[in-house]
Amino acid sequence: MRFPNTLFARTSLTISGALLIFILFTGFVVLNYMLLPVARQSAGDLAALMVLSARTWTELLASARKDFQKELRSSHDLILQATPPEAPLKALLLHSPYMLFLEEALSTRLGQTLHIHQSDETPDLYWAILPIAGKTLYLGINHDHIGAEPPRAVVSIFLGASLFILLTTLLVVRRITRPQGTGRPGAEIQPVEQRNRTPAGKPHHPARRHLS
């Protein structure tokens, strides 16, 4: 399909391209210098809490561990248990940036490569298998605890930016391409030669003044 070669089309394409490049550049800056650093810091704080909770659990008496698990769940929405969940776990295949940062932080703190797991029966619950003091502990994190939804955020930003570009382009191009001095959109501007012609079709020349 050939793009129409009109003033309206060319102006629309130019303005839309400029706005799109600006929005993409702005999104890149915000993502790399604001969102990702905040997500990395948040994942590091969560990993520190998870490791500290697991180590504290191993140091408690057996009679106090259940109370600690209840307090951990009510205060921090974290599930800590010494037995694996009933549903089989499998490592995450698709990682959000937050989950990648969390795996990196956990691996750094425990000195070995760790992965976040998930089950088909409870997709909103993520599990970290932590080897602590000769024990294997399972720590579950609810998706609501993270609260991040990158796919929905990206789609919302893209749709909002597209609508903004479309409306702005139509408004600006309409003002630029509107004929001047007619007061009516779509009115044609006649060439100077045509406006200076008499009804008979002959060019009209204004009378010259002769200086005496």
Side-chain angles (χ1 to χ4, degrees), residues 56-72 80 82 135 137:
T56 302
W57 186 90
T58 59
E59 296 173 358
L60 292 175
L61 298 176
S63 58
R65 288 176 177 174
K66 290 185 178 181
D67 293 335
F68 178 75
Q69 291 173 220
K70 293 180 181 179
E71 179 65 23
L72 190 63
L80 179 61
K135 298 181 179 294
L137 300 180

Side-chain angles (χ1 to χ4, degrees), residues 58-156:
T58 59
E59 296 173 358
L60 292 175
L61 298 176
S63 58
R65 288 176 177 174
K66 290 185 178 181
D67 293 335
F68 178 75
Q69 291 173 220
K70 293 180 181 179
E71 179 65 23
L72 190 63
R73 184 162 188 173
S74 62
S75 300
H76 302 284
D77 199 19
L78 298 177
I79 303 173
L80 179 61
Q81 57 190 49
T83 57
E86 297 180 359
L89 299 178
K90 59 181 180 181
L92 283 179
L93 297 179
L94 298 177
H95 291 70
S96 64
Y98 189 91
M99 287 300 172
L100 289 175
F101 295 151
L102 183 59
E103 287 185 349
E104 179 183 350
L106 288 173
S107 301
T108 301
R109 290 183 175 275
L110 296 179
Q112 54 182 299
T113 303
L114 298 178
H115 299 284
I116 302 298
H117 295 73
Q118 192 179 31
S119 67
D120 295 332
E121 298 181 4
T122 55
D124 292 336
L125 195 61
Y126 303 99
W127 291 92
I129 303 176
L130 306 180
I132 301 289
K135 298 181 179 294
T136 301
L137 300 180
Y138 298 83
L139 211 154
I141 315 163
N142 197 290
H143 183 270
D144 295 336
H145 181 86
I146 302 173
E149 297 182 354
R152 182 175 298 181
V154 171
V155 172
S156 300

Side-chain angles (χ1 to χ4, degrees), residues 20-36:
L20 181 60
I21 293 175
F22 174 76
I23 291 176
L24 291 177
F25 175 76
T26 303
F28 174 80
V29 173
V30 171
L31 179 65
N32 283 273
Y33 295 100
M34 293 182 62
L35 298 182
L36 290 183

